């Protein structure tokens, strides 16, 4: 079965309910069939896994959503599910837990074998080869920065151009340029709030609202509109880990 | 000799030249004697070590500043210097290089033995036990998150309360609260732009302009004014690494 991933910048925009803005993407990914989705809440730090599961189940009411934290054997939960859903929060916490529980490889294999993969924020970031383009604070040290590598590019979720007045830290674009200097072969897609990527087999397109900013090699960064074909940046394989 | 550290949020505020806003702190740390300062520029990614050295030498014109990248033996450069200065940029790059070159322990020992230590942004962050409260993007994986541990608290440089309009990511305060949930015994000092810490022997005080926000245990976060004694939060030792 060809792989199929839906990678969202965020779980909600300012004016919409949980996963509501991406309903068309969810329909594209999961269709009308009532599927069993295993939800991975490990990115949560400031709220409980139970509360997180409830919120996500509400946003995906047409499907059977169950948190992986309810299973005695999390590996089995991944194997038995029809689809995988990974929520946002803190990427370091998520990657720490996935490595600690030995789930990174099984999730990668399952998703590459065709089980629909839905991720937002941290859950979209880890579809990249490494966590290197997260915006999150490194509150815990994971065993490795290596992530799922479902796509060749790095995703930067919550991309924006604004910069707090009087703040002397780096802009988002400057941070991503730092990454590009150390990893010139790896493209970065900065997903703006409301945008998402749809990946199917060898094809990837930008969807949703707000668009994205693409950083690739020596080319100047450029803004992309919804509908842009990103297959050449998002094809499978992480060739410059 | 008692240890003496000057830890700045930033190298400059909006209206001032390089290190100019902290001239009183620099004078407190280094005094009037012409000292040999080894400057560590490894946090730089988007500009060269040479350019960085030149900028810092200009800001510390009363002293002899030399970049560690000019020395054949960087360990020897640390040992021979009168004072150590670590600049900002990307904290992950800085910590990666310090571990790779085996410099973390020698710098810690030198600073704890009394050689004045001046750091800003990433250079202040690494005075903490771990890099865990940096705002920087994890563009490279360091061998460990462990840093100098000159003080017991974590420093968060460039602390601010603003939040881009329509942005759905976490606020700075929420990010630090995530850290506190995983490491409840470690206080965090969010240094606002223009603020700094002066640490001497067992005493630490907040100085400069703008103040700081303190996160400690179960107490609600609170704003601190310049002049606040922070000795109980900043005394030596990293007891909850």
């Amino acid at each position: 079965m060809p792989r199929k991933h839906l990678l969202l910048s965020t779980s909600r925009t300012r004016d919409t309910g949980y996963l509501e803005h991406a309903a068309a993407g969810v329909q594209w990914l999961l269709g009308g069939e009532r599927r069993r989705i295993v939800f991975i809440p490990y990115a949560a730090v400031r709220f409980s896994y139970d509360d997180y599961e409830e919120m996500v189940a509400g946003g995906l009411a047409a499907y059977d959503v169950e948190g992986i934290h309810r299973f005695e054997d999390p590996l089995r939960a991944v194997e038995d599910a029809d689809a995988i859903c990974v929520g946002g929060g803190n990427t370091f916490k998520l990657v720490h837990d996935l490595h600690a529980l030995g789930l990174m490889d099984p999730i990668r294999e399952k998703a590459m074998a065709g089980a629909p993969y839905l991720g937002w924020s941290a859950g979209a970031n880890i579809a990249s080869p490494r966590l290197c383009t997260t915006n999150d604070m490194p509150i815990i040290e994971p065993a490795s920065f290596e992530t799922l590598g479902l796509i060749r590019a790095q995703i930067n979720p919550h991309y924006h151009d604004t910069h707090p007045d009087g703040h002397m830290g780096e802009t988002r674009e400057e941070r991503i340029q730092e990454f590009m200097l150390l990893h010139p072969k790896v493209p970065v897609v900065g997903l703006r709030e409301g945008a998402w990527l749809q990946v199917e087999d060898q094809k990837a397109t930008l969807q949703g609202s707000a668009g994205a900013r693409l950083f690739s090699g020596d080319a100047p960064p450029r803004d992309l509109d919804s509908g842009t074909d990103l297959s050449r940046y998002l094809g499978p394989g992480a060739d410059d880990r």
Side-chain angles (χ1 to χ4, degrees), chain A:
Chain A
M1 217 164 33
R3 71 211 188 96
K4 208 168 175 183
H5 319 318
L6 177 66
L7 309 172
L8 316 177
S9 177
T10 180
S11 58
R12 59 186 146 191
T13 58
R14 191 168 12 181
D15 309 312
T16 52
Y18 214 80
L19 297 172
E20 188 185 336
H21 74 286
V26 171
Q27 180 63 31
W28 167 84
L29 182 75
L30 298 170
E33 209 180 320
R34 189 150 195 102
R35 291 165 186 262
R36 283 171 309 142
I37 301 175
V38 63
F39 170 60
I40 296 176
Y42 301 138
V45 181
R46 290 179 302 117
F47 43 95
S48 76
Y49 295 163
D50 284 356
D51 288 350
Y52 204 177
E53 182 200 52
E54 193 182 327
M55 208 153 50
V56 172
L60 298 172
Y63 310 97
D64 292 322
V65 175
E66 195 159 15
I68 196 168
H69 62 290
R70 298 196 181 281
F71 293 83
E72 259 186 59
D73 180 351
L75 181 54
R76 184 74 185 273
V78 169
E79 282 167 358
D80 289 349
D82 297 323
I84 297 164
C85 171
V86 182
N90 184 290
T91 308
F92 289 89
K93 170 68 162 54
L94 173 63
V95 173
H96 174 276
D97 287 8
L98 289 178
H99 281 304
L101 294 165
L103 288 173
M104 203 65 89
D105 291 341
I107 293 173
R108 179 190 300 121
E109 284 157 22
K110 181 101 180 169
M112 292 307 283
Y117 179 93
L118 165 58
W120 57 88
S121 193
N125 180 250
I126 66 163
S128 314
R130 284 171 291 199
L131 64 64
C132 287
T133 51
T134 178
N135 311 304
D136 298 340
M137 193 171 268
I139 57 172
I140 190 168
E141 182 171 359
S144 157
F145 279 15
E146 189 180 317
T147 48
L148 297 173
L150 302 179
I151 58 174
R152 190 173 68 86
Q154 286 287 138
I155 289 179
N156 175 247
H158 307 293
Y159 187 84
H160 65 85
D161 309 299
T162 53
H163 201 52
D165 190 43
H167 179 59
M168 302 306 286
E170 291 78 6
T171 65
R172 182 69 60 85
E173 178 155 328
E174 286 167 349
R175 294 184 189 281
I176 293 174
Q177 281 167 344
E178 287 183 345
F179 174 82
M180 299 298 296
L181 285 164
L182 298 191
H183 312 271
K185 290 184 190 163
V186 183
V188 179
V189 180
L191 283 179
R192 295 180 192 275
E193 299 301 53
W196 67 78
L197 298 175
Q198 293 183 188
V199 182
E200 185 168 17
D201 201 2
Q202 306 295 317
K203 193 168 157 65
T205 53
L206 178 64
Q207 298 290 346
S209 61
R213 194 157 173 82
L214 176 70
F215 302 78
S216 179
D218 295 331
R222 62 194 173 95
D223 285 317
L224 307 176
D225 291 329
S226 189
T228 302
D229 187 320
L230 287 170
S231 306
R232 67 178 278 223
Y233 302 107
L234 295 166
D239 62 4
D240 183 45
R241 285 231 174 164

